[in-house]
Amino acid sequence: MLHCKYLSPLSFRTKAPCGARMNSVVAAATINNPDHATSPNGLLPMTMKFFPGFLRMTDVARSQPLTVASSAKPSQNITVDPHPKDGGKKIKGRVVLMKKNVLELNDLKASFLDRVHELWGKVVSLQLISSVNGDPENGRGKVGKPAYLEDWVTTITPLTAGECTFEVTFDWDEEIGVPGAFIIRNDHHSEFYLKTLTLEDVPGEGRIHFVCNSWVYPAKNYKKDRVFFANKTYLLSDTPGPLKKFREEELVNLRGDDDDETELQEWDRVYGYAYYNDLGKPHKGPKYARPILGGSSKFPYPRRGRTGRRPTKEDPESETPMMLLLSLFIYVPRDERFGHLKMSDLIAYALKSISQLLRPDELASILVGPQKHFDSLEDVLKLYEGGIELPEGILKSVRDNIPAETIKELFRTDGEKFPKFPVPQVIKVDKPAWRTDEEFAREMLAGVNPVAIRRLQEFPPASKLDQKAYGDQTSQITKEHIEHNLKGLSIDEAIKNNKLFILDHHDALMPYLRRINTTSTKTYSSRTLLFLENDGTLKPLAIELSLPHPDGDQFGCISKVYTPSSQGVESSIWQLAKAYVNVNDSGHHQLISHWLKTHAVIEPFVIAANRQLSVLHPIHKLLHPHFRETMNANAIAREVLTNAGGIIEETVFPAKFSMEWSSVMYKNWVFPEQALPVDLIKRGMAVEDPKSSHSVRLLIEDYPYAADGLEIWSAIKTWVKEFCSFYYKNDEMVQNDSELQSWWKELREEGHGDKKDEPWWPKMQTCEELIESCTIIIWLSSAYHAAINYGQYSIGGYVPNRPSISLHFMPEEGTPEYEELKTNPDKAFLKTFTPQLQTLLGMASIEILSRHPVDELYLGQRGTPEWTTDANMLQAFEDFRKKLEGIEKRIIKMNKDEKLKNRVGPAKIPYTLLYPSSEPGLTGKGIPNSVNI
């Protein structure tokens, strides 16, 4: 027996690495009762503060039963024997876990208290569950005797986050036979992240591996035992009988009680649905009220994860917002939270960003008043070359809210200047190239929103808006505006020869434009016509800018058409016209192409899959990597980016109507049209062609997003087809899979409930429907999101190239603004499109969004190599990985082909957004598995 007393902290050596054992020194310590460990009068808090790692034991002591004498009741001893004597056969196991860490530093208090609980017999126990023998009374697999993690006390938690390995010894019970699952009970003070359990030399089976990857909280926080399954794959009908009830009960736990209105806590593992009723801040007054999105025909929307936060007093239908600093810890199921490396990266970059130094809602009074703008393009370049001076009021806010040592890192020593930003690719090689018409047009094919351009099939461009409500919205572009630039073709011939294209942001904006222009924004709806040159590049022909008719919407719109010019004030007006187009395209990109069509629409798939598909289910195993951290990214976005007064409203032109506008655009969302080939055909950018490699032929051969995207799409679909065909041999198996059918039904009726009656939903009755649906989900979560997101800073980090807000209308002849445009065109441009604070806020935000964390998992990668025991699927996945490597090589080769002018362009930006792999950081390439930023 070991009797413990306190030793001086100074008598101990420094910590050893994780898994290291202490030298042969017997540590004696008198331990307070752990139930009173946080008492200010006890010894534990003091010792914990000055030397949290004081509790060390010898190898000799570890092998013996341990008696701990309580200072509260010295006469009482508690005896824990982690190795009960038993002469029977043993099964050795190895558990890999991570003890609780905060960012990259230990939660030292948790580490200490866990050791105390271990000494008091409050241990981590595991029980194996039979996959072959069930209890005659309830059919559940027989449960073995508890076994305990060994050497927790003497396994030192590292100062940086890392894995710890523990041995566990199970008593072999023939009635258990082959284990198919295990129960784990954590009686410690703190949670830990359980990665794997591996059993060796199991009679009749050999090695059994369990992939867990889940946070395990103290047992007192759970109503049911935590159960983990071996990494086998089963349809429900094929699941071993003794495991079926455990499988079903686990899904019930994850669904929780939908009628329970209590706030969910971090240890709850509940996946539920809610409307977007957390965007507004009713307690701050009508100015911050926002409509609830979802649950109505007026504002339909995908569902988001339920948090259970209480309603506001001012509006019982709206959820109470969180404080800004707490928003990083908004409820999502803990296993959906960012990992410690990702969170530390996010906070580190955020602290170096103006977006975290300034509170957007408090900036509103500054931003809607007199705007401080950049006076010259040279001032903008200072952001990358030496920083700019910030207003004193902002500096005071920074000093009041950020620790002094952090401020030293944030500000240069030559005065209070904001640190320089990385140089965006768009100006890295050729600074003025962004101004060219060629680069303006190229970015419609190889920029961050290459999914909006379409082929023009009628002239003049028509509107689909209701004429009774909006009058005649037909384009005012005439043949006189464009025909002289069609290389001798008539307009009809150009259309017939697939030579005319349009970037159309007219119908989407016109119904909202009158309201948007009541904010600080002053902008237009737009149509941009382009001509396909013989070298594969696009040439802008005309830009139409329109406003609602001043007498009312029913009278149509007032439009003006601008054509290219390189001389005098007309050249400056043409530059402004292109910038207004980019403002519209930037808003469409951020709110529709990006937020709505990836983040928002994918979240219901994540929720439904966790509620209805067991971790044993093949489709869960297929899709789970592509759902990683999406719920967490969305939850934080709702608190910081898309909420009332948030970054999006302050930096994107629809302002307070941003999310409302995205809801209206959701009315046009059709799931099957998210397939890349279907989308390209719908936009007229491709035609069906069975002879082509992907069964479609691009009408602009040098369309980098589409060319690379079709390669990736085809590779994903081939992988998905091999995977699904392995588990589903015929359509009947799809139809009879109750979990699969429940997932798809709930996804349509709950997750996308506002569209549940749409006829276009796949019925999920055939293997082909399953393959196509899973391919779309993976495509949206990985490659499509990568193409839309990770080039934001490369192209938009230089705001004059891609402004997201405009503050003034086009100058009219005879006004002072027009005279300034003639004498100082750059200043006039910057006054309209680059208010200084909003520019900084937007730049800092997209810099964070464009970065890859160090723990990123890319398409073709898995977090664990043993994610399944099916060797055929492991080989198919390896083939998928190799195919992606081949695509990378082809992309590199194409980017060097000078005949493919759209792949690099005047700004010398190689198109790498669909290059599958990447290094960490701001790279402008790489396809992460999931929508996780």
Side-chain angles (χ1 to χ4, degrees):
M1 301 284 181
L2 176 67
H3 185 74
C4 299
K5 291 184 177 180
Y6 272 120
L7 294 182
S8 165
L10 298 178
S11 67
F12 288 94
R13 301 184 182 184
T14 57
K15 288 188 175 182
C18 182
R21 302 296 183 255
M22 298 308 298
N23 294 332
S24 296
V25 177
V26 177
T30 302
I31 308 299
N32 286 21
N33 187 324
D35 292 333
H36 304 287
T38 57
S39 166
N41 298 321
L43 292 175
L44 289 181
M46 180 177 66
T47 307
M48 189 161 49
K49 178 177 180 182
F50 290 105
F51 195 74
F54 77 98
L55 197 55
R56 312 281 170 83
M57 300 174 62
T58 65
D59 289 325
V60 176
R62 282 199 310 276
S63 65
Q64 302 179 23
L66 180 66
T67 298
V68 181
S70 168
S71 61
K73 296 181 180 180
S75 61
Q76 294 184 351
N77 290 335
I78 296 176
T79 302
V80 177
D81 188 350
H83 303 296
K85 302 298 184 291
D86 190 336
K89 181 176 176 57
K90 307 291 183 182
I91 295 179
K92 290 288 186 180
R94 184 175 66 258
V95 171
V96 178
L97 58 79
M98 293 176 64
K99 296 185 180 183
K100 181 183 178 184
N101 286 269
V102 177
L103 302 182
E104 289 194 337
L105 294 178
N106 294 61
D107 183 333
L108 297 175
K109 176 180 177 182
S111 177
F112 172 76
L113 291 176
D114 285 344
R115 298 183 192 186
V116 174
H117 280 65
E118 186 83 11
L119 288 174
W120 275 88
K122 296 182 177 181
V123 294
V124 176
S125 64
L126 298 88
Q127 293 174 274
L128 299 178
I129 300 173
S130 175
S131 66
V132 293
N133 294 316
D135 188 312
E137 295 184 3
N138 56 31
R140 293 158 60 93
K142 290 192 173 182
V143 179
K145 297 178 181 178
Y148 304 95
L149 293 191
E150 301 166 14
D151 300 329
W152 185 286
V153 172
T154 55
T155 301
I156 308 305
T157 308
L159 283 175
T160 56
E163 298 176 357
C164 296
T165 301
F166 296 88
E167 303 299 322
V168 61
T169 304
F170 296 92
D171 291 330
W172 169 244
D173 184 345
E174 290 188 1
E175 291 191 356
I176 296 295
V178 178
F182 71 92
I183 296 169
I184 188 166
R185 180 181 176 88
N186 175 13
D187 283 313
H188 282 174
H189 168 272
S190 307
E191 69 271 24
F192 54 80
Y193 186 72
L194 181 62
K195 299 196 73 174
T196 60
L197 165 65
T198 305
L199 303 179
E200 304 290 352
D201 301 322
V202 177
E205 188 72 13
R207 183 176 181 273
I208 300 179
H209 189 62
F210 300 79
V211 177
C212 307
N213 290 332
S214 180
W215 285 93
V216 178
Y217 276 76
K220 65 182 180 182
N221 295 123
Y222 295 129
K223 296 178 181 178
K224 299 288 185 179
D225 290 327
R226 291 299 314 273
V227 176
F228 293 94
F229 298 91
N231 65 333
K232 294 181 181 293
T233 306
Y234 299 111
L235 298 175
L236 179 60
S237 58
D238 297 330
T239 306
L243 298 180
K244 276 190 176 180
K245 286 199 172 182
F246 288 101
R247 175 175 180 152
E248 293 165 355
E249 288 171 0
E250 176 69 359
L251 288 175
V252 171
N253 293 339
L254 293 172
R255 289 194 284 269
D257 183 354
D258 291 333
D259 296 324
D260 186 352
E261 297 182 357
T262 57
E263 183 170 356
L264 294 168
Q265 303 300 316
E266 63 177 277
W267 51 81
D268 288 320
R269 303 172 57 239
V270 173
Y271 293 80
Y273 299 100
Y275 301 137
Y276 276 67
N277 65 344
D278 58 346
L279 301 175
K281 299 177 181 179
H283 65 288
K284 298 187 70 172
K287 179 181 177 182
Y288 290 91
R290 299 291 182 270
I292 294 172
L293 305 185
S296 70
S297 58
K298 184 177 182 181
F299 296 120
Y301 221 61
R303 303 300 186 256
R304 50 112 175 160
R306 178 168 73 89
T307 68
R309 294 204 307 273
R310 68 182 187 278
T312 63
K313 295 179 181 179
E314 296 77 11
D315 179 7
E317 299 299 319
S318 295
E319 193 169 271
T320 304
M322 298 184 73
M323 294 175 59
L324 181 64
L325 293 178
L326 296 178
S327 59
L328 289 177
F329 305 102
I330 183 174
Y331 173 80
V332 293
R334 182 64 191 273
D335 292 343
E336 304 295 335
R337 290 265 293 273
F338 293 153
H340 61 281
L341 294 175
K342 171 87 166 271
M343 185 64 82
S344 64
D345 279 356
L346 187 64
I347 292 177
Y349 288 122
L351 284 175
K352 290 183 178 290
S353 301
I354 193 73
S355 58
Q356 296 301 314
L357 303 180
L358 309 175
R359 295 181 59 181
D361 51 353
E362 292 179 353
L363 276 175
S365 60
I366 301 173
L367 296 175
V368 299
Q371 303 288 335
K372 183 173 181 181
H373 54 80
F374 296 95
D375 290 325
S376 67
L377 292 175
E378 287 71 27
D379 284 348
V380 180
L381 292 175
K382 289 178 183 177
L383 294 173
Y384 320 105
E385 296 170 355
I388 63 169
E389 294 183 4
L390 291 177
E392 178 56 34
I394 300 303
L395 292 173
K396 183 178 185 303
S397 176
V398 170
R399 295 189 191 100
D400 290 345
N401 292 286
I402 304 296
E405 290 304 312
T406 304
I407 291 178
K408 291 180 181 178
E409 291 294 319
L410 292 169
F411 293 102
R412 294 157 50 90
T413 57
D414 56 347
E416 300 285 33
K417 293 186 177 181
F418 194 76
K420 62 183 180 181
F421 285 85
V423 178
Q425 281 184 289
V426 74
I427 58 168
K428 186 173 286 187
V429 177
D430 188 341
K431 283 187 172 64
W434 65 275
R435 288 181 178 270
T436 64
D437 288 357
E438 291 81 1
E439 182 63 25
F440 169 71
R442 188 194 76 90
E443 290 179 13
M444 299 179 197
L445 301 174
V448 292
N449 197 33
V451 295
I453 189 172
R454 61 181 175 85
R455 180 164 53 93
L456 186 67
Q457 301 184 54
E458 59 181 349
F459 188 87
S463 169
K464 294 182 180 180
L465 293 176
D466 183 359
Q467 283 203 13
K468 291 182 180 179
Y470 297 103
D472 184 6
Q473 298 282 337
T474 303
S475 173
Q476 299 302 304
I477 300 175
T478 66
K479 68 176 184 179
E480 287 76 20
H481 287 122
I482 66 172
E483 203 161 54
H484 61 284
N485 280 323
L486 299 184
K487 298 293 178 68
L489 298 175
S490 68
I491 291 177
D492 288 341
E493 289 172 332
I495 290 175
K496 183 179 179 180
N497 291 323
N498 303 319
K499 288 286 191 176
L500 289 180
F501 294 82
I502 183 171
L503 183 66
D504 192 343
H505 292 309
H506 182 90
D507 283 7
L509 282 175
M510 185 55 69
Y512 265 80
L513 201 53
R514 196 183 300 275
R515 279 174 284 176
I516 289 171
N517 283 338
T518 64
T519 69
S520 59
T521 294
K522 300 294 178 284
T523 194
Y524 306 86
S525 64
S526 62
R527 293 182 175 110
T528 305
L529 263 58
L530 306 106
F531 178 74
L532 180 62
E533 300 274 20
N534 292 333
D535 64 0
T537 62
L538 290 174
K539 176 182 179 180
L541 298 173
I543 292 172
E544 179 183 24
L545 301 180
S546 305
L547 288 171
H549 198 285
D551 295 333
D553 290 347
Q554 69 273 23
F555 295 101
C557 61
I558 303 296
S559 299
K560 191 167 183 179
V561 178
Y562 302 88
T563 55
S565 176
S566 59
Q567 301 294 324
V569 70
E570 289 79 12
S571 173
S572 300
I573 289 173
W574 175 245
Q575 289 294 332
L576 289 179
K578 290 192 294 182
Y580 285 114
V581 172
N582 278 333
V583 166
N584 290 346
D585 198 59
S586 179
H588 179 274
H589 159 260
Q590 201 64 271
L591 292 167
I592 312 305
S593 302
H594 184 196
W595 168 260
L596 174 65
K597 291 189 175 182
T598 60
H599 289 264
V601 303
I602 286 296
E603 186 162 2
F605 288 90
V606 180
I607 299 170
N610 281 281
R611 287 167 57 91
Q612 300 296 342
L613 296 177
S614 165
V615 294
L616 294 169
H617 196 283
I619 301 304
H620 186 285
K621 289 184 182 290
L622 173 67
L623 296 180
H624 186 258
H626 306 288
F627 295 156
R628 180 179 184 239
E629 298 173 347
T630 297
M631 291 184 70
N632 200 175
N634 288 1
I636 293 175
R638 294 195 309 272
E639 297 297 318
V640 178
L641 294 177
T642 63
N643 59 323
I647 292 172
I648 291 293
E649 289 195 356
E650 298 298 344
T651 61
V652 179
F653 76 88
K656 69 178 184 178
F657 299 105
S658 293
M659 290 296 284
E660 183 178 330
W661 182 51
S662 75
S663 169
V664 174
M665 292 298 99
Y666 176 60
K667 295 178 181 180
N668 301 322
W669 182 80
V670 177
F671 176 71
E673 291 178 358
Q674 308 313 302
L676 178 60
V678 177
D679 170 64
L680 292 171
I681 291 170
K682 179 188 176 185
R683 290 190 285 118
M685 303 301 290
V687 293
E688 292 187 49
D689 184 357
K691 296 180 181 179
S692 296
S693 56
H694 308 293
S695 299
V696 296
R697 177 170 54 85
L698 293 176
L699 296 182
I700 300 179
E701 182 180 349
D702 185 13
Y703 183 0
Y705 161 76
D708 296 356
L710 285 170
E711 293 274 352
I712 300 293
W713 168 271
S714 179
I716 293 172
K717 189 164 186 178
T718 299
W719 153 239
V720 171
K721 184 175 183 179
E722 289 190 40
F723 185 91
C724 291
S725 300
F726 184 77
Y727 296 102
Y728 296 91
K729 305 302 182 184
N730 50 57
D731 294 344
E732 187 177 6
M733 292 184 70
V734 173
Q735 297 161 13
N736 293 337
D737 184 347
S738 59
E739 283 189 5
L740 182 71
Q741 296 301 323
S742 295
W743 169 57
W744 199 246
K745 181 176 187 293
E746 182 173 287
L747 169 73
R748 298 192 322 270
E749 296 182 0
E750 298 292 338
H752 283 279
D754 297 331
K755 287 184 167 286
K756 63 182 179 182
D757 296 323
E758 296 285 0
W760 42 253
W761 280 109
K763 306 302 181 185
M764 202 54 70
Q765 295 295 297
T766 67
C767 292
E768 183 53 41
E769 286 180 321
L770 176 61
I771 292 166
E772 182 76 357
S773 297
C774 290
T775 303
I776 292 173
I777 294 168
I778 295 173
W779 163 257
L780 290 178
S781 301
S782 59
Y784 175 86
H785 180 258
I788 295 298
N789 182 70
Y790 290 99
Q792 288 193 76
Y793 191 81
S794 298
I795 292 171
Y798 184 66
V799 175
N801 179 57
R802 194 165 177 80
S804 61
I805 197 164
S806 55
L807 301 174
H808 306 287
F809 291 122
M810 182 76 77
E812 296 290 341
E813 193 168 359
T815 64
E817 290 79 11
Y818 192 87
E819 291 303 311
E820 183 177 50
L821 187 62
K822 292 193 332 188
T823 59
N824 194 341
D826 284 350
K827 186 173 183 179
F829 182 98
L830 295 170
K831 284 173 67 173
T832 301
F833 299 109
T834 57
Q836 196 175 90
L837 288 175
Q838 286 159 305
T839 295
L840 292 171
L841 193 63
M843 286 174 58
S845 300
I846 63 173
E847 183 192 354
I848 293 172
L849 294 175
S850 301
R851 286 186 177 275
H852 292 297
V854 295
D855 63 347
E856 192 81 271
L857 289 173
Y858 298 94
L859 195 63
Q861 296 179 348
R862 291 257 175 169
T864 173
E866 296 184 74
W867 58 275
T868 182
T869 56
D870 294 325
N872 289 342
M873 291 303 92
L874 291 174
Q875 182 58 53
F877 189 71
E878 175 64 13
D879 294 342
F880 175 49
R881 186 188 65 79
K882 290 180 178 178
K883 186 172 292 186
L884 293 173
E885 288 181 351
I887 292 172
E888 289 183 356
K889 294 176 182 178
R890 287 196 292 276
I891 291 174
I892 293 172
K893 183 178 180 180
M894 287 188 292
N895 284 345
K896 294 178 180 178
D897 187 342
E898 294 183 357
K899 292 184 294 184
L900 301 176
K901 296 182 181 298
N902 295 324
R903 297 203 69 91
V904 177
K908 304 296 187 291
I909 309 175
Y911 189 75
T912 57
L913 293 176
L914 288 174
Y915 191 94
S917 67
S918 177
E919 307 79 37
L922 199 64
T923 65
K925 63 181 180 179
I927 303 176
N929 272 327
S930 60
V931 180
N932 61 16
I933 186 65

mmCIF file of all heavy atoms in Angstrom, residues 19-35:
data_model
loop_
_atom_site.group_PDB
_atom_site.id
_atom_site.type_symbol
_atom_site.label_atom_id
_atom_site.label_comp_id
_atom_site.label_asym_id
_atom_site.label_seq_id
_atom_site.Cartn_x
_atom_site.Cartn_y
_atom_site.Cartn_z
ATOM 1 N N GLY A 19 3.013 9.965 -21.896
ATOM 2 C CA GLY A 19 3.302 8.545 -21.853
ATOM 3 C C GLY A 19 4.555 8.217 -21.081
ATOM 4 O O GLY A 19 4.826 7.058 -20.771
ATOM 5 N N ALA A 20 5.380 9.215 -20.747
ATOM 6 C CA ALA A 20 6.604 8.952 -20.001
ATOM 7 C C ALA A 20 6.259 8.582 -18.563
ATOM 8 O O ALA A 20 5.259 8.998 -18.017
ATOM 9 C CB ALA A 20 7.499 10.178 -20.035
ATOM 10 N N ARG A 21 7.106 7.816 -17.944
ATOM 11 C CA ARG A 21 6.876 7.414 -16.552
ATOM 12 C C ARG A 21 7.939 8.069 -15.676
ATOM 13 O O ARG A 21 9.067 8.316 -16.098
ATOM 14 C CB ARG A 21 6.978 5.886 -16.425
ATOM 15 C CG ARG A 21 5.977 5.168 -17.336
ATOM 16 C CD ARG A 21 4.537 5.482 -16.926
ATOM 17 N NE ARG A 21 3.607 4.748 -17.747
ATOM 18 C CZ ARG A 21 2.888 5.276 -18.704
ATOM 19 N NH1 ARG A 21 3.009 6.558 -18.978
ATOM 20 N NH2 ARG A 21 2.055 4.556 -19.411
ATOM 21 N N MET A 22 7.602 8.337 -14.426
ATOM 22 C CA MET A 22 8.507 9.050 -13.533
ATOM 23 C C MET A 22 9.613 8.141 -13.027
ATOM 24 O O MET A 22 9.516 6.925 -13.045
ATOM 25 C CB MET A 22 7.729 9.613 -12.342
ATOM 26 C CG MET A 22 6.659 10.628 -12.732
ATOM 27 S SD MET A 22 7.330 11.928 -13.771
ATOM 28 C CE MET A 22 8.525 12.610 -12.629
ATOM 29 N N ASN A 23 10.691 8.781 -12.559
ATOM 30 C CA ASN A 23 11.794 8.030 -11.980
ATOM 31 C C ASN A 23 11.313 7.326 -10.716
ATOM 32 O O ASN A 23 10.241 7.586 -10.204
ATOM 33 C CB ASN A 23 12.945 8.975 -11.634
ATOM 34 C CG ASN A 23 13.540 9.579 -12.888
ATOM 35 O OD1 ASN A 23 13.474 8.964 -13.939
ATOM 36 N ND2 ASN A 23 14.095 10.770 -12.763
ATOM 37 N N SER A 24 12.124 6.427 -10.211
ATOM 38 C CA SER A 24 11.709 5.641 -9.055
ATOM 39 C C SER A 24 11.782 6.465 -7.789
ATOM 40 O O SER A 24 12.666 6.297 -6.950
ATOM 41 C CB SER A 24 12.592 4.393 -8.937
ATOM 42 O OG SER A 24 12.403 3.578 -10.053
ATOM 43 N N VAL A 25 10.850 7.375 -7.680
ATOM 44 C CA VAL A 25 10.727 8.197 -6.484
ATOM 45 C C VAL A 25 9.313 8.014 -5.974
ATOM 46 O O VAL A 25 8.357 8.218 -6.697
ATOM 47 C CB VAL A 25 10.970 9.687 -6.791
ATOM 48 C CG1 VAL A 25 10.765 10.525 -5.540
ATOM 49 C CG2 VAL A 25 12.372 9.883 -7.332
ATOM 50 N N VAL A 26 9.157 7.581 -4.772
ATOM 51 C CA VAL A 26 7.832 7.390 -4.209
ATOM 52 C C VAL A 26 7.321 8.735 -3.728
ATOM 53 O O VAL A 26 7.929 9.353 -2.859
ATOM 54 C CB VAL A 26 7.863 6.383 -3.035
ATOM 55 C CG1 VAL A 26 6.497 6.249 -2.424
ATOM 56 C CG2 VAL A 26 8.363 5.043 -3.532
ATOM 57 N N ALA A 27 6.233 9.198 -4.335
ATOM 58 C CA ALA A 27 5.656 10.486 -3.950
ATOM 59 C C ALA A 27 4.614 10.252 -2.874
ATOM 60 O O ALA A 27 3.676 9.507 -3.076
ATOM 61 C CB ALA A 27 5.029 11.157 -5.153
ATOM 62 N N ALA A 28 4.807 10.864 -1.739
ATOM 63 C CA ALA A 28 3.823 10.762 -0.662
ATOM 64 C C ALA A 28 3.039 12.048 -0.595
ATOM 65 O O ALA A 28 3.608 13.124 -0.623
ATOM 66 C CB ALA A 28 4.526 10.523 0.672
ATOM 67 N N ALA A 29 1.722 11.963 -0.550
ATOM 68 C CA ALA A 29 0.899 13.170 -0.520
ATOM 69 C C ALA A 29 -0.356 12.926 0.273
ATOM 70 O O ALA A 29 -0.977 11.886 0.144
ATOM 71 C CB ALA A 29 0.543 13.598 -1.928
ATOM 72 N N THR A 30 -0.669 13.852 1.111
ATOM 73 C CA THR A 30 -1.942 13.814 1.804
ATOM 74 C C THR A 30 -2.953 14.540 0.944
ATOM 75 O O THR A 30 -2.795 15.715 0.657
ATOM 76 C CB THR A 30 -1.848 14.519 3.168
ATOM 77 O OG1 THR A 30 -0.831 13.849 3.911
ATOM 78 C CG2 THR A 30 -3.162 14.462 3.908
ATOM 79 N N ILE A 31 -3.971 13.838 0.471
ATOM 80 C CA ILE A 31 -4.876 14.352 -0.530
ATOM 81 C C ILE A 31 -6.209 14.738 0.090
ATOM 82 O O ILE A 31 -6.806 13.947 0.814
ATOM 83 C CB ILE A 31 -5.116 13.284 -1.618
ATOM 84 C CG1 ILE A 31 -3.788 12.775 -2.148
ATOM 85 C CG2 ILE A 31 -5.982 13.852 -2.723
ATOM 86 C CD1 ILE A 31 -2.963 13.849 -2.779
ATOM 87 N N ASN A 32 -6.652 15.942 -0.175
ATOM 88 C CA ASN A 32 -7.991 16.325 0.242
ATOM 89 C C ASN A 32 -9.024 15.526 -0.533
ATOM 90 O O ASN A 32 -8.776 15.050 -1.630
ATOM 91 C CB ASN A 32 -8.239 17.816 -0.040
ATOM 92 C CG ASN A 32 -7.497 18.695 0.950
ATOM 93 O OD1 ASN A 32 -6.539 18.273 1.575
ATOM 94 N ND2 ASN A 32 -7.961 19.929 1.071
ATOM 95 N N ASN A 33 -10.193 15.408 0.014
ATOM 96 C CA ASN A 33 -11.294 14.758 -0.677
ATOM 97 C C ASN A 33 -11.537 15.477 -1.989
ATOM 98 O O ASN A 33 -11.749 16.678 -2.004
ATOM 99 C CB ASN A 33 -12.550 14.854 0.202
ATOM 100 C CG ASN A 33 -13.688 14.034 -0.385
ATOM 101 O OD1 ASN A 33 -13.828 13.960 -1.593
ATOM 102 N ND2 ASN A 33 -14.464 13.436 0.489
ATOM 103 N N PRO A 34 -11.511 14.790 -3.129
ATOM 104 C CA PRO A 34 -11.675 15.474 -4.410
ATOM 105 C C PRO A 34 -13.009 16.164 -4.549
ATOM 106 O O PRO A 34 -13.156 17.075 -5.353
ATOM 107 C CB PRO A 34 -11.523 14.341 -5.440
ATOM 108 C CG PRO A 34 -11.749 13.080 -4.686
ATOM 109 C CD PRO A 34 -11.286 13.329 -3.293
ATOM 110 N N ASP A 35 -14.012 15.738 -3.794
ATOM 111 C CA ASP A 35 -15.295 16.426 -3.887
ATOM 112 C C ASP A 35 -15.200 17.844 -3.359
ATOM 113 O O ASP A 35 -16.060 18.683 -3.632
ATOM 114 C CB ASP A 35 -16.373 15.664 -3.101
ATOM 115 C CG ASP A 35 -16.679 14.329 -3.775
ATOM 116 O OD1 ASP A 35 -16.490 14.246 -5.010
ATOM 117 O OD2 ASP A 35 -17.109 13.399 -3.079
#
